[in-house]
Amino acid sequence: MIDTLRLTAEEAMGLLERREVSAAELHTAYLDAIEARGAELHAYLRVVDECDGTSVPIALKDVISTKGVETTAGSRILGGYVPVFDSTVAARCKAAGLPLIGKTNTDEFAMGSSTENSAFGPSRNPWDPSRVPGGSGGGTAAAVSGGLAPWGLGSDTGGSIKQPSALCGNVGLRPTYGTVSRYGIVAFASSLDQVGPVAKTVRDVALLYSIVAGRDPADSTTVELPEPVEVPAAEDLRGVRIGIPSQVAGLGAIEPGVRSAFERALELAQELGAEVGECDLPLSFDYGMACYYLIAPAEASSNLARYDGVRYGPRAEGATYVETVECTRDEGFGDEPKRRIMLGTYALSAGYYDAYYGQAQKVRTLLVREHRDALAAYDMLATPTSPTVAFPVGDKAADPLAMYACDLLTIPSCLAGLPGLNVPCGLSEGLPVGLQLIGAQFGENALFRAGHALERALGFDPVPERLRT
Amino acid sequence: MTWEPVIGLEIHVQLKTRTKMFCRCPVGFGAGENTQTCPVCLGFPGALPVPNRTAIEWTLKLGLALGCEIAPRAVFARKNYFYPDLPKGYQISQYDLPSCIDGKVIVPLKDRDHAVGIVRAHLEEDAAKTVHVGGRTGRIGGADYSLVDYNRGGTPLVEIVTAPDIHSADEAKTFLQLLRQTIVELGISDAEMEKGTLRVDANVSVRPAGSDELRTRCEIKNMNSFTFIARGIEAEVARQIEVWESGGEVEQHTYDYDAATGALTPRRAKEEADDYRYFPEPDLVPLEPPAELVERLRAGLPELPAARIAALAAELDHERAVVLVTGGLDGLWREAVAAGAEPLAAANVVANAVVGAGVDPGAVPAAELAKLVAARERIPRSAFDEAISKLAEPGFSAEPYLAQEAVSDAAALEPVVAAVLAANAAQVEAYRNGKEGLLGFFVGQVMKETKGQADPRVVNELVRTKLAG
Amino acid sequence: MAISREQVLHVAKLARLDLREEEVARLTDELGAILDAVSRVAELDLSDVPPTSHPLDLVNAWAEDEPHTPLAVDDALANAPAREDDLFRVPPTV
Ligand SMILES: [Mg+2]
Ligand SMILES: [Zn+2]
């Protein structure tokens, strides 16, 4: 009997190597788990019943194009859309023998922090189904922590991998911009979107990252990794310098329980030999959100222009082309994409470009510099990943700005194109708290080493308490 | 008062690369509808552009030929607007940082050299083809529906924008003939207006001769031959002068030129016109052409038509120089002259007979041509014409034709001349009343009667004396 | 209010969104609030700061001019809402 709640991808590979289970049996075990808890968590939009692979099954966020398997990005406007091509990451997973177990739920076009913006209904947090799993990658996060998948891929624009991983008690990596191909990823904001792994352990995350990372000739913005991915084994943090942004201390938005779990993790890091000191990211904290909510919507407004009902997707037939496009888009897009399309169109429109989009691009330059300086003195930076633990479904749904604030701590390093790793660092009110480690450009291996050592020392149990047996 | 036309041209050149600008779909006419498409040029979700290296190099080559500066840094931007032939909802085009800027083309005119400034030459992607069905079929107005073929979508286009340095329809025509020949000789495009691989829009305004003011300009589109461009410009110039002189105001507008009627029909103003929300294409990175590449391209440039016209005009005359060079005939002419042909005669034979016979100038043996030029009045016209038409055939020799002699025996020709004059009493009457232009007519008739065997010089003499007598 | 109803309608036209009346009203408020929040980027004097459109300083990414096999025509049209023979069918453009 396979306990999918505890089994890591690495352990599963062991079982396969030792012929203790077949890939098909493994796949079936997860199908059974989905059968048991799937309805409650609504982690999947689509489940793949036949095992097409020789290795450990994988869940893919529904923004990742999969040939022959419907891909909707959580939007009505892509309802029934079946890609005729594989995204590069899906192809690399196939080449590695990983069978697809299903497509996971997401906020529409990955726009959101709770999956409540999914046109197909929210996912639920395995630790407390009355609460959100975070977003936009809440489906993948819920699947992994609910034992419905050993690991999965998400996409992160401003925190969509890191924040749900924090809220569900998973390890999640948002890689350095340009290390993982975006080809075939339904685009949200091209200069920010990154695909990355979610799993129960840092080693699993490193393993999956090694499978998908590396230059892709089909994505002009990718590069070759400067060094091969190392699956970490380190037990200590000797010689590792960790910088804590001084701004974190004064941040009222951070819940006390989150703050204390974060501080305990830092003490532990020091016990493991890390030098923990203070750094400064004033502009990131003051202007990061504003910068992000100009750049991301601007790019989104253009990336979402292709949904016109001409080549794919449902069409609201009008008398003329213009009528058809306007109705198709009004009926097909939900509130959040519409908000961002409007915001971005406005920010790019004649007379406003310089004040909004142009200015935001300059702020971005300063954020890049600010992070570069901080990382000159430290090997990595640390903050809580999310200011809060998982919140009840419906809590923020009515207030866009409150929802946007969920990514307060994850956004600045995304704008700087830097890698970020979420490592579970304890519980608050019985709900997971996440530690965000921000690395230098291409600094993934350093994050893996530190994350692994901390993970061992913290001994966090990734299985939701209510599901433990 | 006299008016001076002020004309600027916008030229789109379709490059004849093997593949499209941002995907590797083959480019080519006559392929089945939508058989040359892929996720990129269909704008499928997640597809990403990858620039065509050859298209970039050819753009630089053309820029250098137009005397442009090559920008050390060029950036692709997104031009956002909705149309079914634009699958992504934006066209990728260079905007504020084009590849080629500040060029100048010297157009040799009859009396002087005329400089036409090149504001920019930039690279972009072509739109797909939309066919409007029903209603007035083919016309947009009142069509029942439209059909889209994406084969052409994404073909590389270079857009060339001239300064308003052109002051007559003839200047415009000569400039375009020169530009076209330059493009053809660079081997980067067929530049055929009929096929749409060369498209020209003209911006036209007029001003009181002598002043340097710039009045409101109108754009003329849809002119698919150099002749129609000249006519379209003339018509628009006349219209504007008419408006100003009748105390009116020219209003900025776009007109379609109807070749059949010669009429200019105003276009309905595009909705929300000209807020294209340009911004840097985040799926692409900047172009910074290495100096050695630019130098290699510069060194590889052939001697350009403008220079060759200037040189040739000195040896012959301006008109013939223009005809020979823009027709790509000056090479053959030089060889023929080198082989001993009399320059003026050779120019006439090449520009008239050779072109008239539709013979490929590149395949003509110059030495044989020279012999025919020398003998053209001695041998029968029929033999000469036949020889010219066979010039390009493999192993062609002029000898058999040179052996033939035209009938120059006056005694033999007199009866024919008499018969012709008798049969055309009316024309004879007219000639005697001063319509001397009819001489050619009579000679032609005689040549016809003699099946081209008669010596035109002798016939001429006979006819003249007979008519005088 | 940072954005007027007229501006919202104009932007909706640019974005090809046929907003329903209640959406126009709601978006005017929501966009106003968001714009108030993001307008703070204007506080900074950045006249001498270059813009960043990419976190990666990469140039000259291009591919050789070698054809790949295109999609089969039925794959190209597989998701088309309306097809006529091998063409995408759309309502008239005027
Ligand atoms: Mg253009
Ligand atoms: Zn293509």
Side-chain angles (χ1 to χ4, degrees):
Chain A
M1 182 56 200
I2 301 165
D3 178 5
T4 61
L5 279 163
R6 293 218 169 271
L7 190 70
T8 67
E10 195 177 8
E11 291 162 352
M13 286 180 170
L15 295 177
L16 289 167
E17 272 159 31
R18 298 191 298 277
R19 301 254 191 293
E20 289 170 38
V21 325
S22 73
E25 286 164 347
L26 202 55
H27 195 266
T28 308
Y30 286 97
L31 289 178
D32 295 344
I34 293 168
E35 188 62 38
R37 290 185 295 279
E40 180 184 46
L41 299 179
H42 190 234
Y44 288 98
L45 295 177
R46 238 151 285 102
V47 173
V48 178
D49 293 325
E50 63 290 345
C51 173
D52 176 21
T54 58
S55 186
V56 181
I58 186 165
L60 299 179
K61 189 182 183 183
D62 206 35
V63 297
I64 300 172
S65 297
T66 44
K67 186 175 183 177
V69 179
E70 187 185 11
T71 300
T72 67
S75 180
R76 264 192 314 278
I77 209 162
L78 276 173
Y81 168 69
V82 179
V84 295
F85 70 109
D86 264 322
S87 56
T88 297
V89 289
R92 288 184 180 181
C93 288
K94 260 183 199 170
L98 311 184
L100 176 63
I101 180 94
K103 303 297 293 291
T104 51
N105 196 15
T106 168
D107 286 293
E108 187 172 359
F109 287 100
M111 296 172 177
S113 306
S114 70
T115 69
E116 290 167 291
N117 295 335
S118 168
F120 309 108
S123 300
R124 301 292 175 144
N125 192 311
W127 292 76
D128 174 355
S130 74
R131 295 174 182 264
V132 303
S136 64
T140 304
V144 170
S145 83
L148 312 185
W151 57 10
L153 287 177
S155 69
D156 186 302
T157 306
S160 288
I161 289 173
K162 295 183 285 185
Q163 184 257 11
S165 300
L167 271 48
C168 292
N170 301 320
V171 179
L173 171 75
R174 176 212 160 85
T176 301
Y177 185 89
T179 57
V180 181
S181 171
R182 293 182 294 114
Y183 186 79
I185 309 307
V186 177
F188 165 10
S190 309
S191 76
L192 289 156
D193 296 347
Q194 272 301 282
V195 172
V198 176
K200 285 193 182 61
T201 67
V202 174
R203 286 177 62 89
D204 279 1
V205 162
L207 215 56
L208 185 49
Y209 179 61
S210 71
I211 290 171
V212 295
R215 169 163 165 69
D216 174 14
D219 180 348
S220 307
T221 63
T222 54
V223 292
E224 214 42 85
L225 298 186
E227 55 178 26
V229 178
E230 293 163 16
V231 178
E235 302 287 335
D236 65 55
L237 290 171
R238 242 176 269 111
V240 179
R241 299 163 304 164
I242 303 177
I244 316 302
S246 56
Q247 288 73 17
V248 170
L251 215 60
I254 300 176
E255 292 175 349
V258 170
R259 190 178 289 281
S260 50
F262 170 65
E263 280 158 1
R264 256 183 279 110
L266 296 180
E267 285 158 21
L268 194 58
Q270 278 165 309
E271 286 166 29
L272 292 172
E275 291 169 39
V276 177
E278 224 181 47
C279 66
D280 226 23
L281 298 173
L283 295 170
S284 299
F285 281 79
D286 284 354
Y287 297 96
M289 294 287 287
C291 180
Y292 176 85
Y293 278 99
L294 285 168
I295 289 175
E299 291 183 10
S301 69
S302 176
N303 283 333
L304 271 56
R306 66 187 58 195
Y307 304 104
D308 57 2
V310 171
R311 292 161 310 283
Y312 42 80
R315 170 192 292 181
E317 201 76 30
T320 66
Y321 161 74
V322 172
E323 253 183 65
T324 303
V325 176
E326 289 182 339
C327 298
T328 297
R329 290 167 63 78
D330 186 62
E331 290 174 23
F333 289 128
D335 292 340
E336 191 57 35
K338 279 182 195 168
R339 255 193 300 273
R340 302 207 191 185
I341 289 169
M342 292 289 291
L343 182 58
T345 304
Y346 181 72
L348 288 173
S349 65
Y352 298 96
Y353 183 98
D354 293 334
Y356 289 120
Y357 185 74
Q359 184 80 351
Q361 281 193 313
K362 292 176 168 189
V363 173
R364 190 174 189 178
T365 304
L366 298 184
L367 300 195
V368 170
R369 290 179 188 166
E370 198 170 75
H371 279 80
R372 200 199 302 113
D373 297 348
L375 284 159
Y378 294 98
D379 301 308
M380 61 194 67
L381 312 180
T383 74
T385 305
S386 163
T388 72
V389 292
F391 47 91
V393 172
D395 245 22
K396 303 177 195 270
D399 181 354
L401 283 170
M403 189 67 85
Y404 296 174
C406 296
D407 295 326
L408 179 66
L409 295 159
T410 50
I411 277 175
S413 58
C414 296
L415 286 163
L418 301 176
L421 183 72
N422 176 79
V423 181
C425 66
L427 298 177
S428 163
E429 304 151 31
L431 296 164
V433 174
L435 168 73
Q436 170 178 236
L437 295 176
I438 296 162
Q441 195 176 41
F442 309 118
E444 276 80 357
N445 282 339
L447 294 183
F448 293 150
R449 265 182 250 113
H452 176 71
L454 273 168
E455 176 181 66
R456 291 308 193 82
L458 285 157
F460 178 84
D461 183 346
V463 179
E465 276 172 330
R466 66 179 194 98
L467 298 176
R468 290 176 198 165
T469 44
Chain B
M1 113 168 98
T2 61
W3 297 83
E4 176 187 51
V6 179
I7 302 155
L9 300 174
E10 227 178 81
I11 302 113
H12 285 85
V13 182
Q14 202 182 78
L15 300 180
K16 57 178 183 186
T17 48
R18 297 176 64 198
T19 71
K20 295 185 179 183
M21 185 58 226
F22 295 113
C23 63
R24 301 291 78 80
C25 284
V27 186
F29 297 97
E33 290 151 343
N34 288 304
T35 56
Q36 297 184 327
T37 68
C38 72
V40 177
C41 55
L42 288 170
F44 284 169
L48 297 171
V50 179
N52 182 328
R53 182 201 187 117
T54 301
I56 291 165
E57 292 195 4
W58 286 2
T59 303
L60 303 185
K61 209 160 129 184
L62 178 54
L64 291 166
L66 300 180
C68 291
E69 266 173 55
I70 301 306
R73 180 180 176 91
V75 170
F76 286 108
R78 291 186 183 182
K79 179 182 184 180
N80 296 283
Y81 66 95
F82 288 84
Y83 204 73
D85 64 11
L86 196 66
K88 303 184 294 299
Y90 53 86
Q91 177 198 37
I92 305 178
S93 171
Q94 294 175 336
Y95 177 52
D96 51 352
L97 294 171
S99 278
C100 316
I101 49 174
D102 289 343
K104 195 207 287 177
V105 172
I106 300 298
V107 185
L109 297 175
K110 191 177 174 60
D111 45 345
R112 71 207 146 86
D113 281 351
H114 182 68
V116 174
I118 304 296
V119 176
R120 59 190 281 145
H122 76 246
L123 193 47
E124 61 186 32
E125 57 179 338
D126 204 349
K129 229 162 74 245
T130 311
V131 187
H132 307 286
V133 183
R136 279 170 291 145
T137 303
R139 298 297 230 78
I140 295 186
D144 298 335
Y145 59 90
S146 305
L147 296 169
V148 194
D149 173 4
Y150 289 95
N151 282 356
R152 194 187 69 182
T155 309
L157 285 183
V158 178
E159 179 177 335
I160 302 162
V161 179
T162 79
D165 292 343
I166 299 166
H167 300 295
S168 75
D170 276 353
E171 279 180 27
K173 188 173 176 181
T174 313
F175 168 81
L176 287 168
Q177 288 174 323
L178 198 59
L179 176 65
R180 180 187 181 278
Q181 188 58 26
T182 304
I183 291 165
V184 169
E185 288 178 15
L186 290 176
I188 63 176
S189 169
D190 304 332
E192 292 182 53
M193 296 200 79
E194 317 68 47
K195 279 198 193 158
T197 52
L198 180 70
R199 302 167 214 163
V200 180
D201 302 334
N203 288 304
V204 178
S205 69
V206 299
R207 65 185 171 200
S211 88
D212 56 6
E213 68 179 303
L214 284 177
R215 298 198 177 189
T216 310
R217 55 186 172 83
C218 290
E219 189 175 20
I220 323 173
K221 293 178 172 292
N222 259 340
M223 302 169 291
N224 58 4
S225 83
F226 290 157
T227 314
F228 289 142
I229 289 166
R231 287 194 199 148
I233 290 173
E234 274 159 1
E236 176 57 15
V237 167
R239 188 190 68 83
Q240 289 186 19
I241 293 175
E242 160 69 32
V243 171
W244 290 121
E245 291 193 334
S246 59
E249 275 274 330
V250 169
E251 285 171 11
Q252 182 147 14
H253 214 79
T254 301
Y255 292 89
D256 281 310
Y257 179 75
D258 184 334
T261 65
L264 293 166
T265 48
R267 282 200 177 178
R268 64 190 287 285
K270 219 197 281 147
E271 258 180 292
E272 307 296 328
D274 298 358
D275 192 348
Y276 292 123
R277 290 155 286 134
Y278 284 96
F279 73 103
E281 161 61 286
D283 288 327
L284 293 172
V285 300
L287 301 177
E288 293 183 2
E292 56 272 26
L293 167 64
V294 176
E295 284 328 303
R296 175 165 60 77
L297 294 172
R298 196 192 303 275
L301 288 181
E303 192 196 5
L304 296 170
R308 304 210 309 274
I309 288 179
L312 206 52
E315 299 171 60
L316 285 164
D317 56 77
H318 178 263
E319 281 81 357
R320 287 191 174 84
V322 171
V323 171
L324 288 179
V325 172
T326 58
L329 303 162
D330 54 320
L332 175 57
W333 176 84
R334 289 204 176 280
E335 292 172 31
V337 171
E342 191 274 313
L344 208 58
N348 294 336
V349 170
V350 170
N352 304 325
V354 173
V355 172
V359 176
D360 166 18
V364 171
E368 300 307 298
L369 174 61
K371 293 178 194 161
L372 289 170
V373 170
R376 76 192 185 293
E377 292 185 310
R378 176 177 58 78
I379 66 176
R381 172 63 47 81
S382 57
F384 177 78
D385 293 344
E386 188 188 343
I388 293 291
S389 70
K390 292 192 158 59
L391 260 177
E393 289 177 3
F396 171 86
S397 160
E399 295 314 328
Y401 304 96
L402 300 178
Q404 305 177 38
E405 284 289 338
V407 181
S408 51
D409 168 6
L413 291 171
E414 256 174 331
V416 188
V417 174
V420 166
L421 295 186
N424 298 282
Q427 284 84 350
V428 172
E429 190 56 33
Y431 178 91
R432 291 194 165 127
N433 299 331
K435 230 166 170 291
E436 309 226 327
L438 281 167
L439 183 67
F441 163 78
F442 296 117
V443 175
Q445 292 298 310
V446 175
M447 293 307 290
K448 196 145 141 263
E449 289 301 314
T450 60
K451 307 206 163 28
Q453 297 300 306
D455 180 332
R457 292 165 298 183
V458 179
V459 175
N460 232 294
E461 208 33 58
L462 282 172
V463 172
R464 191 179 276 101
T465 45
K466 275 248 177 303
L467 287 166
Chain C
M1 190 45 80
I3 185 166
S4 71
R5 178 192 163 78
E6 289 60 42
Q7 285 172 305
V8 168
L9 291 171
H10 169 72
V11 171
K13 203 92 192 97
L14 284 177
R16 289 274 185 265
L17 289 169
D18 176 32
L19 300 178
R20 279 158 281 117
E21 179 47 43
E22 60 89 15
E23 288 182 296
V24 176
R26 185 164 44 75
L27 277 165
T28 309
D29 298 344
E30 289 173 349
L31 292 178
I34 297 170
L35 284 168
D36 286 338
V38 297
S39 308
R40 59 180 319 175
V41 296
E43 294 166 5
L44 299 164
D45 171 15
L46 305 176
S47 36
D48 54 358
V49 178
T52 294
S53 49
H54 243 278
L56 208 61
D57 42 29
L58 202 61
V59 299
N60 298 344
W62 50 45
E64 299 306 319
D65 186 26
E66 304 290 343
H68 288 186
T69 317
L71 284 175
V73 67
D74 286 334
D75 283 341
L77 286 131
N79 286 284
R83 171 180 181 169
E84 184 166 306
D85 303 325
D86 287 345
L87 293 154
F88 292 83
R89 178 173 170 151
V90 289
T93 42
V94 288

